[in-house]
């Protein structure tokens, strides 16, 4: 009996994968080389015209800038606050279980709901924030504050996720290392810097990959909060791509934007994976 | 792990199969075999096993989503009428449709409501009409969608149903909005236009008349806010959304400028720059408008004015009934007037309202046309005006004695509706508004100067219209 090499058995799954991932990606790249207005039956091959237009498109660069700022601030804030919360929750105290559950609540609330909630909190006329601070700042209508409020909403929502993951990472660090360090007379900060942080590095990198990619592709939180903000000051790449694709139905240029987002997230992933593999070595 | 147990079992079963099939039988394709190989392949690709599962689910859902080509339903003709939420009691509207059914035995009308958000309604229509759905026959469209749907070939040409002499009986603005390449693709159903609301009592107290020009409005607002506490001068809708474009166009048009002229983009003009600068100055320099307008839409401004905290407001006619209700703090203290204009210009209002069209893929176009003729007839429009407050698109109703008696406010809006102008009538309007909204918002928030914003808008809108070439 000859042994078949199993290629035929992989075919169904490979076909499925092809149709669900490779084919759409290739089709989007194909669309991005066209001027395509689906509903008017306009379809013209324009080569790299869309990409050239994108390079000159101020709105794209603005969206990229907003996305970069949003990603950088929210990820760093989440990391710092997340590590602090993880360290605090790692210890043994009476209501440990309840505290960990409560910390997870922002993560459990659907993003759309929490964005709406923050929209009302920051309302210039009736919001709690202005009431508590005693000021009358138009948070969501100010070009400077709107994006920071969006960052705040995202940090509030996903810091628990970071904290829980880091807490899991902290649990794995053997306790004798801490005891040895205490015997050697190391202070808290040295313990943190020399023992905790290096051993936490792989977990931190994994958390960074997740959060950076998620923050880069953020859509719902910002869209519900400001809809792109006063004069596009909170418009991220995903929101811009959505508006072009689904509100103006320009499938050619929308695909170009999607390809660029795909390339950016791809580069970020490669960068982090390189870091991760180097770290493991 | 579960999947390895499954895999082992499957591999052993496969071995059994091979032994069984060795007895001279040719390998025939059967369901069991292919199912097993599918499971095997899914289990082999173990890193992506969730992806495999999700792909399967996605594939199933995908095929379920395909609509079946409908079959002709025997018996009485059933029309489906798709529209947004009808204001007021739905029973009243149903009564109107029942009257149509009585006058047209053999036709039944089923009306289906869409989500309240106009964006979602637009998405629904685009998805379904691009998919050539025959699920609905008559649709209710926002005034800005008609050229787009007409260009996409989704609307039936109604020129035969609605000839020239009939069109004369309607307001000119809506007629222009539903005409594309000389043909009419929808019939205007009810109309809306921007108005200036003002506090009669405050103006009287300080001896002022309702302003006719924008500088007059600024002067009155400044004078009154300096002497009254806790009152804004002039509020309007300045959030980055469609309503902002409605507001800005009223200033542009009242200064003699425009956005599109005979198909060409002329948005970057000195008159437009002047108009936009005036809007920013109202916030920054004259300080009669609070900065909160940059996040305000219709309801928040209606709230502020309705609680007595503003002298002037620009809004749509719907607010009037709310202000005149029992218990409203401003009951009896409100007046309305056409919007002011710049010196040398004319008052302009942005046209709103909804139009009725026939789905080109409808299987009952003649019955659908009958329904449209009925709903836009003088009797139906009068009924709707008296019951739910929809303002008629037929000019003659504004001289109707009964309507004038029951709804004096509505009939008094005749002049404003005559002057209501549609937003740029172009299939590309949805794309153009996506360019205009952020540019106008940037000027109002002080991020860009009017010159920069309009230059950028000119460039981007020109690029959009190049698609036709």
């Amino acid at each position: 009996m000859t042994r078949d090499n199993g290629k035929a058995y992989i075919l169904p799954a490979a076909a499925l994968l092809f149709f669900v991932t490779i084919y759409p990606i290739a089709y989007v790249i194909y669309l991005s080389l066209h001027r395509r207005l689906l509903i008017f039956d306009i379809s013209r091959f324009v080569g790299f015209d869309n990409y050239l237009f994108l390079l000159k498109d101020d709105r794209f660069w603005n969206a990229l800038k907003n996305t970069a700022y949003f990603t950088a601030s929210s990820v760093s804030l989440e990391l710092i606050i997340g590590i602090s919360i993880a360290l605090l929750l790692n210890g043994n105290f009476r209501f440990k279980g309840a505290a960990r559950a409560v910390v997870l609540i922002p993560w459990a609330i659907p993003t759309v709901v929490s964005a709406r909630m923050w929209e009302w909190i920051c309302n210039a006329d009736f919001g709690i924030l202005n009431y508590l601070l005693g000021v009358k700042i138009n948070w969501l209508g100010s070009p400077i504050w709107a994006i920071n409020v969006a960052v705040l909403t995202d940090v509030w929502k996903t810091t628990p996720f970071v904290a829980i993951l880091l807490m899991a990472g902290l649990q794995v660090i053997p306790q004798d290392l801490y005891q040895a360090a205490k015997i050697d007379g190391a202070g808290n900060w040295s313990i943190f810097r020399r023992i905790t942080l290096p051993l936490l590095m792989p977990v931190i990198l994994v958390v960074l990959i997740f959060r950076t990619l998620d923050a880069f592709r953020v859509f719902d939180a910002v869209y519900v909060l400001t809809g792109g903000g006063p004069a596009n000051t909170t418009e991220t790449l995903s929101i811009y791509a959505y508006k072009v694709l689904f509100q103006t139905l320009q499938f050619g240029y929308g695909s170009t934007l999607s390809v660029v987002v795909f390339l950016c997230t791809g580069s970020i992933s490669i960068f982090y994976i390189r870091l991760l593999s180097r770290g493991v070595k | 792990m579960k999947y390895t147990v499954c895999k082992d079992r499957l591999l052993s079963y496969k071995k059994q199969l091979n032994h069984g099939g060795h007895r001279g039988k040719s390998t025939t394709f059967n369901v069991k075999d292919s199912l097993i190989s599918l499971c095997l392949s899914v289990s082999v690709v173990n890193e992506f096993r969730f992806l495999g599962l999700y792909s399967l689910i996605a594939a199933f859902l995908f095929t379920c989503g395909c609509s079946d080509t409908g079959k002709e339903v025997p018996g009485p003709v059933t029309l489906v009428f798709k529209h947004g939420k009808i204001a007021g009691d739905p029973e009243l509207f149903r009564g109107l449709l029942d009257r149509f059914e009585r006058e047209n035995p053999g036709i039944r009308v089923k009306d289906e409501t869409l989500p309240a958000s106009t964006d979602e309604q637009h998405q629904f229509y685009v998805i379904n009409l691009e998919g050539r759905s025959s699920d609905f026959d008559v649709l209710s469209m926002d005034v800005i969608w008609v050229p787009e749907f007409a260009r996409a070939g989704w609307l039936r040409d109604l020129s035969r149903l609605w000839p020239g002499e009939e069109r004369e009986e309607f307001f000119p603005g809506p007629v222009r909005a539903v005409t594309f390449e000389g043909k009419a693709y929808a019939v205007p159903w009810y109309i809306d236009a921007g108005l200036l609301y003002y506090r009669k009592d405050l103006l009287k107290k300080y001896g002022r008349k309702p302003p006719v020009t924008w500088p007059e409005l600024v002067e009155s607002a400044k004078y009154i806010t300096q002497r009254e506490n806790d009152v804004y001068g002039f509020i309007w809708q300045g959030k980055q959304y469609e309503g902002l474009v409605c507001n800005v166009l009223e200033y542009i048009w009242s200064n003699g400028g425009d956005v599109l002229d005979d198909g060409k983009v002329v948005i970057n003009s000195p008159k437009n720059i002047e108009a936009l600068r005036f809007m920013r100055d109202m916030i920054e320099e004259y300080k009669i408008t609070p900065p909160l307008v940059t996040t305000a839409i219709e309801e928040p401004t209606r709230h502020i004015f309705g609680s007595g905290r503003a002298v002037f407001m620009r809004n749509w006619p719907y607010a009037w009934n709310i202000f005149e209700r029992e218990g409203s703090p401003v009951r009896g203290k409100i007046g309305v007037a056409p919007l002011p204009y710049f010196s040398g210009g004319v008052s302009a209002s942005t046209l709103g309202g909804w139009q009725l069209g026939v789905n080109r893929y409808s299987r009952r176009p003649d019955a659908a046309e009958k329904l449209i003729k009925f709903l836009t007839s003088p009797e139906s429009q009068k009924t709707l005006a008296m019951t739910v407050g929809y303002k008629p698109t037929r000019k003659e109703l504004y001289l109707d004695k009964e309507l004038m008696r029951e709804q004096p406010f509505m009939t008094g809006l005749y002049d404003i509706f005559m002057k209501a102008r549609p937003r740029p009538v172009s299939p590309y309007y949805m794309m153009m508004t996506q360019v205009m909204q952020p540019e106008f918002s940037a000027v109002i928030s002080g991020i860009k100067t009017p010159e920069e914003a309009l230059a950028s808008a000119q460039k981007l809108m020109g690029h959009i219209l190049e698609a036709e070439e």
Side-chain angles (χ1 to χ4, degrees), chain B residues 34-61:
Chain B
S34 46
L35 244 152
I36 290 171
S37 22
L38 183 63
C39 287
L40 256 180
S41 37
V42 168
S43 70
V44 160
V45 191
N46 59 358
E47 290 91 352
F48 306 104
R49 65 177 175 276
F50 288 117
L51 182 59
L53 180 65
Y54 290 164
S55 319
L56 266 171
I57 296 178
F60 268 119
L61 291 175

Side-chain angles (χ1 to χ4, degrees), chain A residues 96-278:
Chain A
K96 187 169 72 167
R100 289 178 187 181
V102 163
V103 155
L104 260 183
I105 289 181
W107 175 244
I109 300 179
T111 317
V112 172
V113 173
S114 54
R116 264 285 174 252
M117 189 182 81
W118 279 101
E119 191 193 354
W120 273 111
I121 291 179
C122 298
N123 186 303
D125 247 5
F126 313 114
I128 299 186
L129 194 58
N130 276 346
Y131 175 73
L132 289 175
L133 293 177
V135 291
K136 255 226 171 224
I137 302 181
N138 186 9
W139 300 99
L140 297 177
S142 152
I144 320 167
W145 287 115
I147 184 89
N148 290 312
V149 170
V151 168
L152 174 68
T153 312
D154 197 59
V155 166
W156 179 84
K157 180 171 175 38
T158 45
T159 305
F161 173 71
V162 172
I164 295 289
L165 280 183
L166 288 174
M167 208 161 56
L170 279 175
Q171 308 265 355
V172 196
I173 302 177
Q175 286 296 99
D176 2 353
L177 287 176
Y178 289 122
Q179 285 164 356
K182 285 231 173 71
I183 292 176
D184 285 345
N188 271 334
W189 175 246
S190 299
I191 293 182
F192 178 71
R193 211 166 64 96
R194 300 275 169 87
I195 302 180
T196 316
L197 217 46
L199 288 174
L200 211 48
M201 225 10 121
V203 183
I204 290 183
L205 270 173
V206 168
V207 164
L208 276 180
I209 294 180
F210 271 120
R211 284 308 312 151
T212 312
L213 286 180
D214 272 350
F216 195 81
R217 296 170 310 157
V218 70
F219 175 79
D220 41 7
V222 184
Y223 190 71
V224 171
L225 193 67
T226 59
N232 286 350
T233 46
T234 58
E235 189 176 70
T236 60
L237 279 174
S238 300
I239 294 180
Y240 184 32
Y242 170 80
K243 285 190 175 167
V244 171
L245 273 171
F246 293 103
Q247 285 183 357
T248 68
L249 305 170
Q250 289 173 276
F251 279 79
Y253 190 57
S255 305
T256 315
L257 283 168
S258 311
V259 168
V260 169
V261 173
F262 171 62
L263 290 174
C264 287
T265 49
S267 332
I268 294 178
S269 322
I270 294 179
F271 167 71
Y272 271 119
I273 290 178
R274 284 245 176 87
L275 256 181
L276 199 57
S277 53
R278 216 179 303 139

